[in-house]
Amino acid sequence: MQKTTGIHSICVSAQTVVHRIARPVRYLASSLSSTAAEYTILLTLNAITGGVFVPVVIARTISCTINYLMNRKVFASQGSVIRTGIRYAIVAAVVMMLSYTFTNAGVMAGLSLWSASVLTNSSLFIVNYLGQSFLVFGRPYDALDRARTFIKNYSTFIAKVQQQVTQIFACHLPKFSVENTALAHIHLPQAA
């Protein structure tokens, strides 16, 4: 009976780990596929126009549309297409502006368009994931509740630490009076 319980707890632990990493892995897969489309479009348009702004905007818009449609399934969105679509557009616009700014800065610094874009988008991966997880497909009340709980727990922790420090000083501070220290018995020469 003991072995069954141990095996069961291992299986439950394994399921928990798989459940926790499943969403980020699915998000990574959707991001990589939309990124492949974005790079193909970006490099093609750059070769045609020679610019950076128009290719980045068009490529990002198409890849964001692909990414939004896939991520509705990744995050198991239960919100309406219009509401999550508007939120996604806002997050995507912010990420697009950051992408253009950093990609252009990389190109001006001497990087190739491709390497500047890869570096920029890799850096923005976490920002985009968190934005979609909490702001787009997550329920805002859940994120708000988590923030409130964190602040409440942090405030309680600080109050307890403050109380403990106050008690320590109250108990031990009277023992450290000037008369009880070794410094009280040192006679310093007085100035004449």
Side-chain angles (χ1 to χ4, degrees):
M1 189 68 181
Q2 192 74 356
K3 285 184 179 181
T4 305
T5 305
I7 291 173
H8 177 70
S9 67
I10 291 171
C11 289
V12 169
S13 297
Q15 287 174 341
T16 302
V17 168
V18 168
H19 180 66
R20 286 186 180 174
I21 65 169
R23 181 182 289 175
V25 168
R26 288 192 315 256
Y27 177 78
L28 178 63
S30 75
S31 293
L32 289 175
S33 58
S34 61
T35 299
E38 181 177 346
Y39 286 134
T40 302
I41 296 165
L42 175 67
L43 296 176
T44 302
L45 290 175
N46 177 257
I48 294 169
T49 66
V52 175
F53 180 74
V54 172
V56 166
V57 171
I58 292 173
R60 176 61 64 150
T61 301
I62 293 170
S63 78
C64 284
T65 303
I66 293 168
N67 191 259
Y68 168 76
L69 295 172
M70 287 190 284
N71 284 346
R72 279 191 57 79
K73 295 188 186 316
V74 168
F75 291 100
S77 176
Q78 297 187 10
S80 72
V81 172
I82 293 172
R83 184 173 35 181
T84 57
I86 291 170
R87 289 180 190 163
Y88 184 90
I90 292 168
V91 170
V94 169
V95 172
M96 185 189 312
M97 286 187 291
L98 292 171
S99 177
Y100 170 72
T101 301
F102 294 136
T103 300
N104 196 37
V107 169
M108 291 176 70
L111 294 174
S112 68
L113 176 63
W114 183 84
S115 60
S117 182
V118 168
L119 182 64
T120 296
N121 291 329
S122 298
S123 302
L124 293 174
F125 179 80
I126 297 295
V127 171
N128 203 8
Y129 176 79
L130 293 174
Q132 288 186 45
S133 180
F134 291 109
L135 302 175
V136 178
F137 299 111
R139 293 181 293 203
Y141 298 112
D142 289 345
L144 203 57
D145 285 341
R146 280 182 264 164
R148 285 182 187 144
T149 302
F150 173 78
I151 291 168
K152 180 181 174 186
N153 290 342
Y154 181 74
S155 298
T156 303
F157 171 74
I158 294 298
K160 286 181 181 180
V161 168
Q162 183 181 11
Q163 182 182 17
Q164 291 294 322
V165 169
T166 302
Q167 286 178 353
I168 290 170
F169 279 127
C171 291
H172 298 291
L173 201 55
K175 295 178 186 175
F176 294 109
S177 66
V178 176
E179 294 80 25
N180 293 337
T181 63
L183 294 175
H185 302 291
I186 297 176
H187 298 288
L188 298 174
Q190 296 189 0

